[in-house]
Amino acid sequence: MSTAITAPASYTARVELDRDSDNALVRLAREGNYEAFEKLFERHRQLVYRFAYQMAPRRDDAEDIVQEAFVRAYQNLGRYRDEAKFTTWLLRIVTNLCTDHARMTHRRQVLEQQEAGEGLLWMTVGDTDDPVANLEAQRRVKALRKALNALPTHHRTMIILRDIEERDYNDIAAILGCTVGGAKLRVLRARRALRDRVAPLIGEEKP
Amino acid sequence: MNYRDEDLIKLAFGELDETEAETLRKELAADAAASSQIGEYNWIKEGLSDLRPVPPMQYSTERLRDAILGEGLNVRKRNPLALILAWTPAGAFGVAAVITGVMLMRTGPESLVPANLQSETSLAQVAMQMDDLHRPLLAERAFRTLDDQVRASTEFKVGFAPVAEETAEPEPKDASPKVRFAAQPTRSAPAVRRETQRTLTPETPAAAPVMEVAAPETADAATEQAPPIVMIGSEDDARTGAPIATEVRFDANVVVGG
């Protein structure tokens, strides 16, 4: 009489989950399985795109950054260490790319701001029925976008990571390669800098 | 009341504990300036949340595939050999620096100079070690350096003191105006006078003409009228069995010592 040995359902589920985890996909991609890397891309491309768009608020630029980020990630999968989260590692690549992009396009910054200000009107801000509230929200977005784009890159990165993308301080510290205390301090300084730029506009925008 | 800007920012962005936030809010109720600041930060926080929506991305998986696979890109694997090769030149440089440092500490900077470029003293020593005293040109070359005059004068001072004694014949003062003591350029005139008086015979008048002779400027000038010097070599004459003696015209050619 033979007895079949079956694994418990929870164990099977965990194995399936592990097989589909970022680290498992990275391992497969390292071994040459490109489909595994495409899964990683599908999973995280929105995250990368959102961050890239906030840093370089033009769709074309943001998409170029996304492509470059994933190409670099693919080429450097061998350097990725499993102890860090894959998204953290990916965001570190994107942060560096965005910083480089901001340096290169510094001369075009004024034009970009104008373009971004006009291009943001499509956004679904102020979706209340109150037209006055909608108008105020649109003005605030425009003013904040302008102020954000005028910030130095390191301050802008902190505002986007913490206040727009809502990453926790541990993540930010890992992405930037600093301590949690250092990350908190940088966020604080960035918020102050943003307030200094926005304060003159607040009086105009408030009813 | 002045509140710390940091606390106001934390309160506005919801990063304070509930109890701390409640306490601060109560305190701020009576402070118009701080309340205004909090209002500004709240305005920023709400505005930043409005920035979250982004336009839809049009970048496709196919485009990425083209970008990666179309260009034949591959995953770069960490190659330990490449790492070793990259650090090899730096390591070699470090080892060379350490060896140089040790050499300098042990032997001094002369060890870094090739033997044929080292000082004239060592060249002269080499010539003497070779026992090649029949090659005066080599010795002469050895002494032709910037400070050879000082060296030569020192050598002559020791080696030719008896010669000076022999030449101290009682001569008229103006008959030998060019008798010079090449070996004593650094001595003062009184010192030369005292020494000469000691070496001269008692019959020699105290006012010897030597007193009037100035110290020579160069060794060559000093040796123009020096008596010939006979050097005895190490090789023996075949006929007599005695060492070969050679007459040297100028004493600057002679290496003294060894």
Side-chain angles (χ1 to χ4, degrees):
Chain A
M1 192 175 180
S2 63
T3 52
I5 301 172
T6 54
S10 61
Y11 176 79
T12 314
R14 203 172 67 228
V15 168
E16 285 298 319
L17 194 68
D18 287 345
R19 201 177 293 166
D20 206 32
S21 68
D22 284 351
N23 286 347
L25 291 174
V26 167
R27 242 173 275 136
L28 287 172
R30 269 187 203 150
E31 291 162 6
N33 186 342
Y34 185 72
E35 285 175 5
F37 186 72
E38 277 192 340
K39 273 190 185 176
L40 285 169
F41 171 70
E42 291 292 342
R43 191 177 289 174
H44 300 299
R45 67 177 184 172
Q46 271 300 330
L47 169 75
V48 174
Y49 174 70
R50 273 204 319 267
F51 184 80
Y53 186 83
Q54 300 293 354
M55 288 294 287
R58 284 172 52 160
R59 185 184 290 168
D60 291 346
D61 288 346
E63 287 181 356
D64 285 348
I65 290 171
V66 169
Q67 172 173 316
E68 186 61 28
F70 277 98
V71 167
R72 281 198 191 181
Y74 182 73
Q75 285 183 295
N76 294 294
L77 275 178
R79 292 184 184 178
Y80 168 66
R81 288 176 298 172
D82 292 348
E83 56 260 31
K85 271 166 49 179
F86 180 71
T87 49
T88 303
W89 183 68
L90 196 58
L91 278 177
R92 194 182 299 167
I93 294 174
V94 182
T95 307
N96 291 336
L97 282 173
C98 289
T99 306
D100 293 345
H101 179 269
R103 277 188 200 136
M104 282 192 294
T105 57
H106 183 67
R107 291 177 186 172
R108 295 185 299 161
Q109 204 170 14
V110 178
L111 291 173
E112 280 185 1
Q113 283 171 23
Q114 290 172 359
E115 194 178 332
E118 290 162 9
L120 284 167
L121 292 177
W122 68 271
M123 288 168 64
T124 56
V125 289
D127 52 356
T128 61
D129 291 336
D130 184 0
V132 177
N134 282 350
L135 188 64
E136 189 201 338
Q138 282 181 5
R139 281 182 179 169
R140 183 167 60 188
V141 163
K142 193 175 173 181
L144 267 175
R145 174 65 70 188
K146 193 176 176 181
L148 194 61
N149 288 344
L151 279 181
T153 313
H154 59 282
H155 284 334
R156 204 185 330 161
T157 306
M158 302 313 297
I159 295 287
I160 291 168
L161 283 173
R162 178 64 189 160
D163 296 329
I164 298 179
E165 290 298 315
E166 295 183 315
R167 314 290 303 184
D168 61 32
Y169 282 112
N170 289 323
D171 261 5
I172 294 172
I175 289 167
L176 300 178
C178 64
T179 61
V180 174
K184 285 182 179 176
L185 194 64
R186 289 188 200 188
V187 168
L188 190 74
R189 286 176 182 159
R191 284 172 177 164
R192 261 188 211 139
L194 183 62
R195 178 186 164 267
D196 290 345
R197 289 193 182 269
V198 165
L201 305 172
I202 292 176
E204 297 169 13
E205 301 298 327
K206 275 187 175 176
Chain B
M1 187 186 289
N2 287 327
Y3 295 96
R4 286 174 61 203
D5 195 35
E6 186 180 343
D7 291 335
L8 298 180
I9 292 174
K10 282 182 179 173
L11 179 64
F13 284 87
E15 292 176 356
L16 279 182
D17 296 339
E18 275 301 315
T19 50
E20 286 176 339
E22 198 57 38
T23 311
L24 194 57
R25 264 191 217 105
K26 281 177 187 169
E27 290 174 2
L28 288 176
D31 191 330
S35 297
S36 168
Q37 266 190 300
I38 285 284
E40 288 174 358
Y41 283 122
N42 279 329
W43 187 90
I44 290 171
K45 184 174 181 283
E46 289 167 17
L48 287 175
S49 64
D50 288 340
L51 288 180
R52 275 181 204 133
V54 293
M57 183 171 63
Q58 294 178 340
Y59 191 80
S60 63
T61 311
E62 287 73 27
R63 247 180 89 185
L64 179 70
R65 190 180 298 157
D66 288 344
I68 292 178
L69 298 181
E71 293 179 24
L73 300 176
N74 287 315
V75 178
R76 287 181 200 150
K77 291 181 179 173
R78 270 195 172 177
N79 189 355
L81 185 64
L83 198 68
I84 291 169
L85 287 176
W87 283 98
T88 299
F93 181 78
V95 169
V98 168
I99 290 172
T100 308
V102 169
M103 278 178 64
L104 280 173
M105 284 173 64
R106 293 185 65 180
T107 57
E110 289 84 6
S111 61
L112 298 178
V113 182
N116 57 349
L117 296 178
Q118 285 186 10
S119 66
E120 71 284 352
T121 307
S122 61
L123 190 58
Q125 286 170 351
V126 169
M128 293 170 72
Q129 283 172 1
M130 291 168 64
D131 202 17
D132 195 7
L133 294 178
H134 297 289
R135 293 171 61 186
L137 280 177
L138 183 62
E140 184 182 17
R141 182 179 162 203
F143 279 91
R144 282 190 179 171
T145 56
L146 287 176
D147 57 348
D148 61 348
Q149 293 175 10
V150 176
R151 288 174 183 276
S153 63
T154 309
E155 300 290 334
F156 290 133
K157 179 180 71 181
V158 177
F160 289 93
V163 176
E165 193 173 1
E166 286 172 13
T167 55
E169 296 292 331
E171 294 177 3
K173 180 180 176 181
D174 50 349
S176 60
K178 290 185 180 177
V179 173
R180 293 169 184 172
F181 292 92
Q184 301 164 358
T186 55
R187 294 180 185 181
S188 61
V192 172
R193 190 183 309 133
R194 280 196 301 275
E195 190 169 324
T196 309
Q197 284 173 350
R198 271 202 309 275
T199 54
L200 291 178
T201 56
E203 291 79 24
T204 307
V210 182
M211 293 172 63
E212 302 298 322
V213 176
E217 291 298 321
T218 62
D220 287 342
T223 55
E224 279 177 1
Q225 293 187 357
I229 297 169
V230 176
M231 292 194 304
I232 300 169
S234 59
E235 295 176 7
D236 295 337
D237 191 21
R239 287 185 301 161
T240 60
I244 297 172
T246 310
E247 189 175 300
V248 181
R249 187 174 179 184
F250 299 113
D251 52 6
N253 294 334
V254 180
V255 179
V256 179

